[in-house]
Amino acid sequence: MPIDIPEELILLERAAVAEQRKALAEPYTEEAWAQWREAAAAFQAAVTAHAEAAGVSRYELEMAVKQAVLHAEPEGGGRSSASPFGAVLGARREAITLFRGQFGPGD
């Protein structure tokens, strides 16, 4: 039986993902990461409250929301191959490439 996902949870998780992207796109600052932590904490608190009120598994509810947000089908029904974390993964690959180029495999 599918879990009913309130729109509020979708919006809170989208906000947390957006703050995460902003925090990871720049060099570390406490302020940027604080915004991410606050958004994530608001989402987690809302998931806990809704799961208790609805009598559903907190874990299953959280996973359903994350599935809906992170793997949503784009408008028009087609599947998107773009990952919400693609920019982060690309930056990580670039950093590894630069590191290897600077220090080489045997250095």
Side-chain angles (χ1 to χ4, degrees):
M1 181 169 138
I3 293 179
D4 179 39
I5 304 171
E7 185 66 20
E8 173 193 14
L9 295 181
I10 297 288
L11 296 174
L12 286 168
E13 176 61 3
R14 284 181 182 158
V17 169
E19 290 299 331
Q20 179 186 34
R21 286 181 186 159
K22 287 194 292 187
L24 296 176
E26 301 292 329
Y28 173 83
T29 65
E30 179 58 35
E31 296 80 22
W33 281 53
Q35 294 295 316
W36 175 16
R37 282 191 304 272
E38 289 170 14
F43 168 70
Q44 293 295 326
V47 168
T48 299
H50 181 75
E52 289 174 358
V56 298
S57 162
R58 190 207 174 288
Y59 171 79
E60 289 179 14
L61 177 60
E62 180 179 352
M63 292 302 103
V65 174
K66 288 185 179 292
Q67 177 74 25
V69 170
L70 299 176
H71 304 287
E73 291 193 15
E75 293 189 28
R79 287 201 49 101
S80 170
S81 61
S83 165
F85 300 104
V88 173
L89 294 175
R92 179 174 282 169
R93 283 189 204 105
E94 183 179 327
I96 290 169
T97 302
L98 289 171
F99 179 81
R100 287 181 180 156
Q102 185 176 7
F103 296 102
D107 297 346

